[in-house]
Amino acid sequence: MNSIKKLNSVKQSCSLNGYNNNSMVSNLYIHIPFCLKKCAYCDFYSVYGSEAVVHSYIEALCREIEMQKDHIWHLETIYIGGGTPSILKVEHIAMIMDLLQGTGLISAGAEITSEANPGTLNEGRIKGMLAAGINRISIGVQSLRDSELAVLGRMHDAAGAENAFRIAREGGFGNISADLIYGIPGQDLMSWKDTLERTVLLRPEHISTYELTPEKNTVLFEKLEKGHLKLPDEEIVTDMYNSTIAMLEDNGYVHYEISNFALPGRECRHNLNYWNRGEYLGIGAGAHSFEGGRRTADVSDVDRYIAEINENRLPIAEELTLTIEDELDELLFLGLRKTEGFDLGLVSSETAARLKKAPDDRVLRGLVELSGNHIRLTKKGLLFCNEVIVRIMLDIERHRPS
């Protein structure tokens, strides 16, 4: 089974000094690119930052919020990701949140999430996050087997992950998400089920389960290439995915997106906005935005980011204006990630008619189905999500007017 990678729709363009756009967004992503240690599988932009650099970065990040605040309207979700946001000092988290709250940009009842590495959580940091206004925490558990955590290059062990969860719960967090990874070298079905069972016992409101995808330019990829590690067989990975759905649904979790499960009403609102192709603003080095039909990205370099902000310029390095065809492809790619599927009312009658024929395609039979006015992947189809979506998109492309 192929894992689903994040949609990357921005492309390199000429350098920009600013970005004029009259759209308003209600969803904000804030990127903290600092880590104490790079995990073996991670290819996201992250660096080690000295105390002085981190402080300068947070100051620049706050200035970018000020520069972009006219694009923000009653924030419904805020997501602080990384990197490792939980390595920030409490006062840095407070600087960001105080600025947003002081400008009246946060709606009552907003979902405000911060990612966290178990190795960085303690009672003081939990109290500081809650006091600053964070009301949802996403803990990178990844595995509850020490041998698997060692392969991933994590800075915590299984006991530390479980303890971090308890600290967060006892400290006052009523909305906790646990991230898990399967398909790890050396992992088998039994060890994966053990991680799932122990995670369920902690009773997080939300669980994300991702198939490990070896990316080039990572330590893990190099070890696999040299034969020092070996991924589990495809059949075992498929069994892991199917057992995940069965176990979590049996324990009351709703499977609402390919890799995501939640107790009823606890779906991640921020990520649902992505999958519904809603607009959002990204702040910070390497952060992406989607506003007014454009996808943009800030520079993926902390020093350049700080320098651009200090020159009173938005640090945009990439920009893509979407065509109608791009928009349809995104609607399909993102919408079919959700288990409820894609609403045919979002497209033209001609395109909807083509999509309604998909279940009869001899290749797609049993992989995609109609449910009311939605087209969605079957449970079997979820195993081949990339292939199914590409097949559907190619069919739509073939029938576009020339």
Side-chain angles (χ1 to χ4, degrees):
M1 179 178 62
N2 294 321
S3 68
I4 305 302
K5 294 185 179 181
K6 291 185 177 179
L7 180 66
N8 180 11
S9 297
V10 291
K11 297 179 180 178
Q12 186 69 35
S13 68
C14 55
S15 183
L16 300 173
N17 289 328
Y19 175 44
N20 295 318
N21 183 5
N22 295 321
S23 64
M24 303 287 281
V25 298
S26 297
N27 302 275
L28 177 66
Y29 174 79
I30 297 172
H31 191 64
I32 307 299
F34 304 109
C35 285
L36 295 176
K37 176 187 176 184
K38 188 88 168 178
C39 294
Y41 58 93
C42 179
D43 72 333
F44 293 143
Y45 175 62
S46 63
V47 295
Y48 174 80
S50 67
E51 186 173 331
V53 169
V54 171
H55 186 76
S56 295
Y57 178 81
I58 298 301
E59 288 185 327
L61 192 150
C62 288
R63 282 196 289 274
E64 188 184 4
I65 292 174
E66 288 278 10
M67 295 164 72
Q68 294 272 36
K69 66 182 180 181
D70 289 342
H71 294 276
I72 301 173
W73 176 253
H74 295 314
L75 289 172
E76 298 294 337
T77 72
I78 300 170
Y79 195 101
I80 305 174
T84 310
S86 54
I87 67 173
L88 292 181
K89 291 183 177 181
V90 170
E91 51 262 40
H92 288 148
I93 300 172
M95 281 175 63
I96 298 168
M97 294 303 300
D98 286 350
L99 172 61
L100 291 169
Q101 290 163 346
T103 51
L105 298 176
I106 304 178
S107 297
E111 175 193 272
I112 306 173
T113 304
S114 177
E115 292 180 345
N117 185 305
T120 64
L121 291 180
N122 54 47
E123 292 180 10
R125 184 163 276 126
I126 288 294
K127 289 179 180 178
M129 293 168 74
L130 285 164
I134 309 296
N135 55 30
R136 183 176 183 274
I137 189 169
S138 180
I139 301 177
V141 174
Q142 314 310 9
S143 171
L144 289 174
R145 288 291 186 100
D146 287 346
S147 59
E148 294 167 6
L149 291 169
V151 169
L152 295 174
R154 300 293 286 174
M155 60 180 287
H156 63 87
D157 58 15
E162 291 175 315
N163 186 55
F165 188 97
R166 294 189 183 97
I167 290 173
R169 182 70 83 202
E170 293 169 4
F173 272 102
N175 196 356
I176 302 176
S177 180
D179 280 2
L180 303 175
I181 294 176
Y182 63 95
I184 302 168
Q187 188 180 53
D188 57 26
L189 184 58
M190 183 183 70
S191 68
W192 170 240
K193 285 184 174 180
D194 177 65
T195 285
L196 281 175
E197 289 169 356
R198 290 165 65 183
T199 301
V200 167
L201 287 175
L202 295 170
R203 208 58 182 171
E205 283 69 26
H206 189 279
I207 299 175
S208 297
T209 61
Y210 300 109
E211 182 189 349
L212 180 64
T213 304
E215 302 288 355
K216 291 183 178 180
N217 301 317
T218 64
V219 172
L220 176 68
F221 186 88
E222 183 179 343
K223 289 183 177 180
L224 289 167
E225 285 287 289
K226 292 181 177 179
H228 298 160
L229 294 173
K230 183 178 182 297
L231 294 172
D233 292 340
E234 192 73 14
E235 289 184 4
I236 294 175
V237 174
T238 297
D239 288 342
M240 290 176 180
Y241 184 69
N242 287 330
S243 66
T244 299
I245 296 172
M247 184 183 298
L248 294 184
E249 287 185 342
D250 285 348
N251 282 277
Y253 289 88
V254 178
H255 186 200
Y256 72 101
E257 191 269 347
I258 289 173
S259 303
N260 288 274
F261 304 77
L263 295 177
R266 294 305 188 110
E267 296 84 357
C268 179
R269 289 157 51 191
H270 186 85
N271 286 342
L272 275 172
N273 181 65
Y274 291 151
W275 300 319
N276 288 327
R277 204 171 168 272
E279 295 191 336
Y280 56 91
L281 177 64
I283 298 290
H288 290 201
S289 299
F290 175 43
E291 302 177 74
R294 288 187 179 92
R295 292 194 178 275
T296 62
D298 281 2
V299 294
S300 293
D301 182 286
V302 167
D303 292 334
R304 282 185 57 202
Y305 173 82
I306 294 172
E308 290 288 303
I309 292 292
N310 287 343
E311 291 292 330
N312 204 35
R313 292 193 297 265
L314 289 177
I316 297 173
E318 304 174 30
E319 178 182 352
L320 175 67
T321 299
L322 302 179
T323 64
I324 293 174
E325 290 78 14
D326 292 333
E327 292 176 349
L328 176 58
D329 287 346
E330 288 190 3
L331 281 169
L332 289 169
F333 184 90
L334 296 170
L336 288 173
R337 291 185 63 104
K338 300 179 296 178
T339 55
E340 72 175 13
F342 171 78
D343 185 353
L344 295 174
L346 296 174
V347 297
S348 69
S349 58
E350 292 82 4
T351 299
R354 291 299 316 166
L355 291 171
K356 286 179 180 179
K357 295 179 181 179
D360 297 324
D361 184 302
R362 63 180 181 81
V363 175
L364 297 179
R365 199 166 296 140
L367 302 177
V368 62
E369 63 186 4
L370 292 174
S371 176
N373 203 43
H374 282 69
I375 182 171
R376 66 185 184 187
L377 303 184
T378 63
K379 283 194 174 182
K380 183 179 179 182
L382 292 173
L383 292 168
F384 307 100
C385 178
N386 274 351
E387 292 89 340
V388 172
I389 293 174
V390 168
R391 174 83 178 186
I392 293 172
M393 290 166 67
L394 286 175
D395 182 67
I396 296 296
E397 180 68 30
R398 281 197 300 269
H399 291 87
R400 281 175 180 155
S402 57

